[in-house]
C-alpha cells in the first residue's frame, strides 16, 4: 500500500480540503502516514495569501529532494497550485503533481496516473461541488470537531488579496446538503461544527431548499437557524465579511444556545482612506455600528479580527486610527499582518511605500495593544467555570486534556480519558499568554 504524507498550510479551507483528500485517498487504497521520511507520496497543501507562506513551499521541496533517500512523489495542492499551474514543474525541480483548489476531489485519480507512469500530472479543472461528499469515515483533526465548507471562493476582490484569483467565484452549497452533513456528523459523535468559507455571511445558495422555515431573514442567518435546529451541540462560523454582517446574525445567536459566542470580523484598517484603497466596501462608522450590536448582546460574544499594517499609502495618522479602532472594539484577539504585495492583485501595481522597518514598528505597536486586550479578555475568566469540549490529550502532559471554550479559547485542564468528546465544566485556575488552564469540576 502506498503511504501518503500530507502537510497543510494556510486557512481552514485548506485544512478542510486536506481532510477530504485524506478521506478519499484512504478509501482508494492509499495509507495516510504521519512520518514524512516513510512516505511514497508527499502532498503539500499550499497557501498564497502572503509571500512568506509561498516561500515555504520552495524551501520545503528543496529539502525533500536533498534529504530523502527514497525519492517520494511530490504533489503540490492548494492556492499556489491553482495560481501557478504547470509552471511549477519548471519553477521547482522535483514536483510530480500539481492539483488546484478546484480539483481536490480528483487527487486519487491524479496519483494513480503518476504511478501508472503518466509523468508529471497537473489538474486545475473545475471543482465538482461537494454535494455527495461521504462523511462516513472521515479523517479529521479531531473526531469531535468537523469543518463544513458552506461557501467556496470569493467575489469581493479586496485590492491586496489573491484569494478571488486562487479560489475563484463564490459558490454556496444548498442548505439542505449542509443540514444533511451536520445530522450525519452528529450521528457519528461530532460535537462541534465550524461552518467555513472566505465570507460565510455572503452565503447565497441558488437553490433555497432547507431555508423555507425562516422567512424574512438574510440567507446566512436562515442557514444558522436551520443548522441550530439539528440539535448539534456547538456551531461556530468563520470568516465573516463586515458589509454582509447583518444584525439578524446576532439575533440568531441570541435565539439559539448552540450557536457559540464568537464572531471573527476582519476589519483590516481603522482608516476610511485605507479601507477605500483596499476596496473593503465598509467604512469605520458602519463597522462600529455592527460591533455595537455584537457588544450589546447579553451573550457576551467574543470578537476577533484581522488587521493589515503598512498597506500602500498608509500614513502614520491612518495607522493611529487603526490603533484607536482597536481600543474601541476591545478585540479579544487579533491576527496582525504586515502588508505583502501579491503578484496579480490590484494593489500590486501600487507603490509599496511603507518601509519594512516602519511596517515592523507598526506591527509591534499594534501587537502590544492586542496582547493587552488579549490578557484582559483571558483574565476575565479567572476563577470562573466555563464549558469546554474535551478534544484531545494535551501535547505537553498526559494528565491534561485540551479543548476550546464556546468563545473559541484554548483551554487545557486536568481531566481523564473518559471525558474525551464530552463538553466539560472547567474551573479556570490560571491565565497563560494565549490560553487558559483549569480543572474539571
Ligand atoms: N498582505 C498581508 N496580509 C494579507 N491578508 C490577505 N492578503 C494579504 C496581503 N497581501 C490577510 C488579511 C486577511 C488574512 C487572512 O490575511 O488580513 O483577512
Ligand atoms: Fe480576500 Fe477580501 Fe475575499 Fe476576504 S473578502 S478573501 S480579504 S478578497
Amino acid at each position: 500500500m502506498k503511504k501518503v504524507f500530507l502537510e497543510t498550510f494556510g486557512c481552514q479551507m485548506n485544512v478542510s480540503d486536506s481532510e477530504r483528500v485524506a478521506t478519499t485517498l484512504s478509501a482508494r487504497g492509499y495509507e495516510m502516514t504521519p512520518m514524512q521520511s516513510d512516505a511514497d507520496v508527499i502532498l503539500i497543501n499550499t497557501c498564497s495569501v502572503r509571500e512568506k507562506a509561498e516561500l515555504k513551499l520552495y524551501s520545503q521541496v528543496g529539502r525533500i529532494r536533498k534529504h530523502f533517500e527514497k525519492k517520494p512523489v511530490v504533489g503540490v495542492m492548494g492556492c499556489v497550485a491553482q495560481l501557478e499551474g504547470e509552471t511549477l514543474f519548471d519553477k521547482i525541480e522535483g514536483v510530480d503533481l500539481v492539483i488546484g483548489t478546484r480539483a481536490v476531489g480528483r487527487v486519487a485519480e491524479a496519483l494513480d496516473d503518476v504511478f501508472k507512469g503518466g509523468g508529471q500530472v497537473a489538474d486545475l479543472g473545475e471543482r465538482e461541488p461537494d454535494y455527495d461528499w461521504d462523511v462516513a469515515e472521515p479523517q479529521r483533526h479531531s473526531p469531535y470537531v468537523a469543518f463544513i465548507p458552506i461557501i467556496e471562493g470569493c467575489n469581493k476582490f479586496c485590492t491586496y488579496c489573491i484569494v478571488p484569483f486562487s479560489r475563484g467565484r463564490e459558490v454556496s452549497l444548498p442548505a439542505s446538503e449542509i443540514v444533511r452533513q451536520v445530522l450525519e456528523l452528529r450521528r457519528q459523535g461530532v460535537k462541534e461544527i465550524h461552518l467555513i468559507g472566505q465570507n460565510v455571511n455572503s452565503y447565497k445558495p441558488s437553490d433555497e431548499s432547507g431555508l423555507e422555515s425562516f422567512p424574512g431573514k438574510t440567507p446566512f442567518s436562515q442557514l444558522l437557524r436551520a443548522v441550530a435546529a439539528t440539535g448539534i451541540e456547538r456551531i461556530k462560523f468563520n470568516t465573516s465579511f463586515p458589509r454582509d454582517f447583518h444584525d439578524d446574525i446576532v439575533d440568531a445567536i441570541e435565539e439559539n444556545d448552540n450557536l457559540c459566542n464568537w464572531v471573527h470580523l476582519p476589519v483590516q484598517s481603522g482608516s476610511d482612506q485605507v479601507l477605500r484603497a483596499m476596496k473593503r466596501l465598509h467604512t469605520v462608522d458602519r463597522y462600529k455600528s455592527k460591533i455595537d450590536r455584537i457588544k450589546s448582546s447579553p451573550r457576551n460574544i467574543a470578537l476577533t479580527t484581522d488587521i493589515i499594517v503598512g498597506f500602500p499609502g498608509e500614513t502614520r495618522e491612518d495607522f493611529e486610527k487603526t490603533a484607536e479602532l482597536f481600543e474601541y472594539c476591545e478585540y479579544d484577539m487579533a491576527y496582525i499582518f504586515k502588508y505583502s504585495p501579491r503578484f496579480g492583485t490590484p494593489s500590486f501595481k501600487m507603490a509599496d511605500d511603507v518601509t519594512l522597518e516602519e511596517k515592523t514598528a507598526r506591527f509591534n505597536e499594534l501587537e502590544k495593544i492586542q496582547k493587552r486586550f488579549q490578557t484582559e479578555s483571558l483574565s476575565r475568566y479567572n476563577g470562573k467555570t466555563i464549558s469546554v469540549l474535551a478534544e484531545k490529550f494535551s501535547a505537553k502532559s498526559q494528565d491534561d486534556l485540551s479543548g476550546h471554550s464556546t468563545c473559541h479559547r484554548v483551554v487545557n485542564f486536568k481531566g481523564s480519558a473518559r471525558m474525551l468528546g464530552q463538553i466539560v465544566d472547567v474551573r479556570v485556575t490560571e491565565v497563560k499568554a494565549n490560553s487558559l488552564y483549569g480543572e474539571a469540576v
Side-chain angles (χ1 to χ4, degrees):
M1 208 184 248
K2 299 270 193 242
K3 291 184 180 167
V4 181
F5 174 84
L6 169 55
E7 186 163 22
T8 308
F9 297 95
C11 68
Q12 287 185 33
M13 293 302 278
N14 271 12
V15 174
S16 168
D17 280 348
S18 286
E19 290 175 352
R20 284 168 193 234
V21 164
T23 304
T24 317
L25 289 179
S26 304
R28 293 281 299 264
Y30 291 89
E31 183 187 335
M32 303 309 292
T33 171
M35 300 263 294
Q36 198 172 15
S37 54
D38 199 27
D40 303 293
V41 180
I42 294 181
L43 293 176
I44 307 169
N45 196 357
T46 56
C47 170
S48 58
V49 163
R50 284 168 298 278
E51 193 185 16
K52 223 166 144 190
E54 202 171 309
L55 290 176
K56 268 191 200 154
L57 169 67
Y58 291 81
S59 61
Q60 201 180 14
V61 177
R63 209 162 36 81
I64 293 169
R65 277 174 48 77
K66 230 182 182 167
H67 296 298
F68 286 49
E69 255 172 57
K70 169 163 120 184
K71 190 186 166 302
V73 166
V74 175
V76 180
M77 298 166 37
C79 291
V80 177
Q82 189 69 41
L83 287 167
E84 304 273 341
E86 293 180 10
T87 63
L88 279 177
F89 295 135
D90 301 327
K91 280 191 186 154
I92 316 176
E93 226 186 306
V95 172
D96 304 289
L97 184 67
V98 175
I99 293 284
T101 51
R102 293 166 214 169
V104 285
R106 293 189 294 273
V107 175
E109 284 89 338
L111 263 181
D112 291 349
D113 284 349
V114 172
F115 283 116
K116 272 189 226 135
Q120 292 173 320
V121 176
D123 186 349
L124 309 170
E126 277 313 300
R127 184 170 188 143
E128 306 287 332
D130 276 343
Y131 294 166
D132 57 354
W133 185 63
D134 184 6
V135 286
E137 279 183 67
Q139 304 246 341
R140 289 191 302 265
H141 65 288
S142 159
Y144 313 112
V145 182
F147 293 161
I148 304 181
I150 62 162
I151 180 166
E152 309 266 2
C154 179
N155 291 350
K156 296 296 188 291
F157 289 94
C158 302
T159 53
Y160 51 81
C161 185
I162 198 76
V163 168
F165 305 94
S166 60
R167 290 243 167 212
R169 292 297 71 70
E170 276 173 10
V171 182
S172 298
L173 249 71
S176 50
E177 173 55 24
I178 297 164
V179 166
R180 181 192 75 78
Q181 289 190 15
V182 175
L183 287 170
E184 175 61 22
L185 290 163
R186 180 172 181 238
R187 203 183 54 74
Q188 287 174 28
V190 167
K191 297 292 161 61
E192 178 172 305
I193 53 140
H194 292 218
L195 305 175
I196 61 167
Q198 304 300 340
N199 293 306
V200 281
N201 56 333
S202 309
Y203 178 75
K204 207 170 187 315
S206 52
D207 159 7
E208 293 195 2
S209 59
L211 300 177
E212 305 86 351
S213 316
F214 310 97
K217 312 280 182 196
T218 55
F220 180 61
S221 87
Q222 286 178 316
L223 176 72
L224 287 179
R225 289 171 163 95
V227 171
T230 63
I232 188 112
E233 273 84 347
R234 284 176 161 195
I235 303 151
K236 295 176 180 176
F237 57 87
N238 74 352
T239 292
S240 296
F241 186 71
R243 192 196 58 179
D244 299 339
F245 193 91
H246 301 295
D247 286 356
D248 65 355
I249 296 174
V250 187
D251 296 343
I253 294 176
E254 289 174 356
E255 287 159 21
N256 295 282
D257 284 342
N258 52 354
L259 286 174
C260 289
N261 302 352
W262 172 43
V263 169
H264 182 66
L265 201 57
V267 69
Q268 312 299 359
S269 170
S271 150
D272 279 333
Q273 192 185 307
V274 175
L275 288 174
R276 249 194 324 274
M278 289 176 164
K279 285 221 168 66
R280 283 291 289 175
L281 311 172
H282 62 84
T283 59
V284 173
D285 277 351
R286 279 185 166 269
Y287 183 85
K288 277 182 170 171
S289 69
K290 312 218 175 203
I291 300 305
D292 292 345
R293 173 67 185 99
I294 296 169
K295 294 271 174 186
S296 72
S297 172
R299 282 287 292 272
N300 203 4
I301 298 169
L303 181 66
T304 57
T305 200
D306 294 346
I307 294 174
I308 298 175
V309 294
F311 187 77
E314 183 188 74
T315 61
R316 183 77 215 167
E317 217 182 348
D318 291 321
F319 169 72
E320 274 158 17
K321 286 181 184 160
T322 303
E324 265 167 43
L325 185 63
F326 203 118
E327 303 266 348
Y328 181 90
C329 297
E330 301 182 329
Y331 292 113
D332 293 270
M333 209 266 295
Y335 296 99
I336 304 166
F337 306 101
K338 293 178 207 169
Y339 171 69
S340 151
R342 307 306 295 128
F343 179 76
T345 60
S347 70
F348 189 78
K349 296 196 191 88
M350 303 175 191
D352 183 14
D353 54 1
V354 181
T355 62
L356 182 59
E357 205 181 9
E358 184 58 25
K359 278 179 191 164
T360 305
R362 291 178 193 177
F363 176 93
N364 289 340
E365 227 172 285
L366 209 54
E367 191 57 33
K368 233 188 215 163
I369 299 177
Q370 112 81 22
K371 285 221 172 90
R372 170 159 58 83
F373 278 102
Q374 169 155 271
T375 306
E376 263 177 38
S377 158
L378 287 170
S379 302
R380 281 198 287 274
Y381 296 104
N382 207 3
K384 299 233 166 74
T385 298
I386 54 176
S387 67
V388 180
L389 172 60
E391 290 163 32
K392 55 183 183 189
F393 279 104
S394 141
K396 286 196 188 132
S397 155
Q398 280 297 303
D399 298 329
D400 289 344
L401 300 179
S402 181
H404 287 85
S405 65
T406 54
C407 49
H408 208 56
R409 281 294 182 194
V410 173
V411 185
N412 296 308
F413 61 99
K414 276 201 176 55
S416 60
R418 67 181 171 77
M419 289 174 182
L420 282 171
Q422 308 291 319
I423 293 173
V424 181
D425 281 338
V426 172
R427 199 174 67 83
V428 176
T429 54
E430 205 182 329
V431 174
K432 309 243 171 157
N434 299 306
S435 63
L436 297 167
Y437 189 80
E439 49 198 26
V441 291

